Amino acid sequence: MKITIEWTYKTKNGIETVFRSDEMPPAHALSIGEDLEKTGRAKKLQFIDQNDSTWLAKELKKYIKEIDTEPHNVRVYFDGGYDIQTKNAGLGIAIYYEQNGKSYRLRRNAPASGLNSNNEAEYAALHLAIVELDLLDVHHQTVQFLGDSQVVINQMNGEWPAYEKDLSSWADRIDEKLNELGITPEFELVPRKLNSEADRLATQSLQGVGITGQIELQ
């Protein structure tokens, strides 16, 4: 979930205007909101989520306390590789998240067969990532998905149509799974060099090297 702060600012002369912040994580919004109130100039302060629902500060505190024990601030990198000669695919994902005040990284790759293109492999990698989110019990929150496939990112964003039946089918499966988990996705296209971890995992899978691991980040 992302929160926007809206408040009325009143000058010493009594002139008022309304300000609205960028979206931010709930804990950041609560901290900034409390700081604004200390100035004595911020009136009618509201916390608004992505569904335009308004939260009281005490409600936001309760929510933050509840999600602290669950994976949150989740960021997912995904990549798929496809070998035209063998028609085999390798999928790679790296999931970063916070839980109980600590930061973690989960890495996994997997082989895939029965795919017909690199674009399908990219979609399969994204689907694999969402399955892993389900296993991590990530639900009812905003998750950031980062990949270097223009096709997948732009189609999932709704900016490009998915004319190919195979790709459209993958997109539908992914949307269905996201809805089932209550995940609001944010898809972001990143340069290949910023997706090198997932790319390496996908390549290692194609080479027959399986990797599954989770570590706490220091």
Side-chain angles (χ1 to χ4, degrees):
M1 180 171 71
K2 294 289 183 69
I3 294 291
T4 299
I5 310 172
E6 185 176 284
W7 71 99
T8 299
Y9 181 82
K10 187 174 182 178
T11 68
K12 292 180 178 179
N13 298 328
I15 301 172
E16 294 186 355
T17 189
V18 176
F19 287 96
R20 191 178 178 97
S21 73
D22 293 331
E23 290 183 336
M24 64 188 80
H28 294 178
L30 185 61
S31 179
I32 292 173
E34 290 175 341
D35 199 55
L36 282 170
E37 288 186 323
K38 289 178 182 177
T39 67
R41 297 286 181 84
K43 310 294 182 182
K44 302 177 184 177
L45 192 143
Q46 298 184 83
F47 300 100
I48 305 168
D49 65 21
Q50 291 161 301
N51 297 316
D52 286 329
S53 296
T54 302
W55 296 61
L56 298 174
K58 63 179 182 180
E59 293 174 330
L60 207 54
K61 287 179 181 178
K62 182 180 178 181
Y63 171 79
I64 292 169
K65 187 175 180 180
E66 288 174 348
I67 69 167
D68 191 51
T69 58
E70 303 174 356
H72 56 280
N73 291 339
V74 183
R75 192 169 76 255
V76 177
Y77 293 86
F78 69 94
D79 199 27
Y82 184 72
D83 188 325
I84 299 177
Q85 302 300 321
T86 64
K87 295 188 177 180
N88 290 326
L91 319 177
I93 62 170
I95 301 175
Y96 291 80
Y97 64 96
E98 297 174 21
Q99 187 172 15
N100 294 317
K102 299 179 180 179
S103 299
Y104 297 90
R105 182 195 66 192
L106 182 152
R107 296 193 305 161
R108 185 184 170 195
N109 65 6
S113 58
L115 305 181
N116 299 310
S117 68
N118 192 73
N119 286 332
E120 263 202 278
E122 295 277 6
Y123 264 112
L126 175 56
H127 186 267
L128 174 66
I130 296 168
V131 170
E132 285 296 325
L133 293 181
D134 191 3
L135 294 174
L136 281 172
D137 201 24
V138 174
H139 57 84
H140 296 95
Q141 61 179 283
T142 300
V143 174
Q144 190 176 22
F145 294 92
L146 304 101
D148 56 46
S149 168
Q150 283 192 329
V151 171
V152 173
I153 296 297
N154 288 329
Q155 287 182 349
M156 292 306 300
N157 270 333
E159 296 179 10
W160 290 4
Y163 292 122
E164 297 179 49
K165 185 177 180 181
D166 289 340
L167 302 188
S168 177
S169 177
W170 276 110
D172 289 343
R173 287 173 62 189
I174 289 167
D175 280 335
E176 183 178 345
K177 188 66 176 176
L178 291 170
N179 289 333
E180 176 189 323
L181 297 177
I183 290 176
T184 300
E186 290 183 346
F187 296 102
E188 182 178 343
L189 183 66
V190 296
R192 195 169 189 81
K193 64 180 180 180
L194 295 183
N195 200 35
S196 59
E197 187 173 26
D199 175 65
R200 184 166 58 253
L201 287 165
T203 300
Q204 288 171 319
S205 180
L206 276 171
Q207 295 169 344
V209 180
I211 295 174
T212 300
Q214 182 174 321
I215 64 169
E216 179 185 339
L217 300 174
Q218 301 300 322

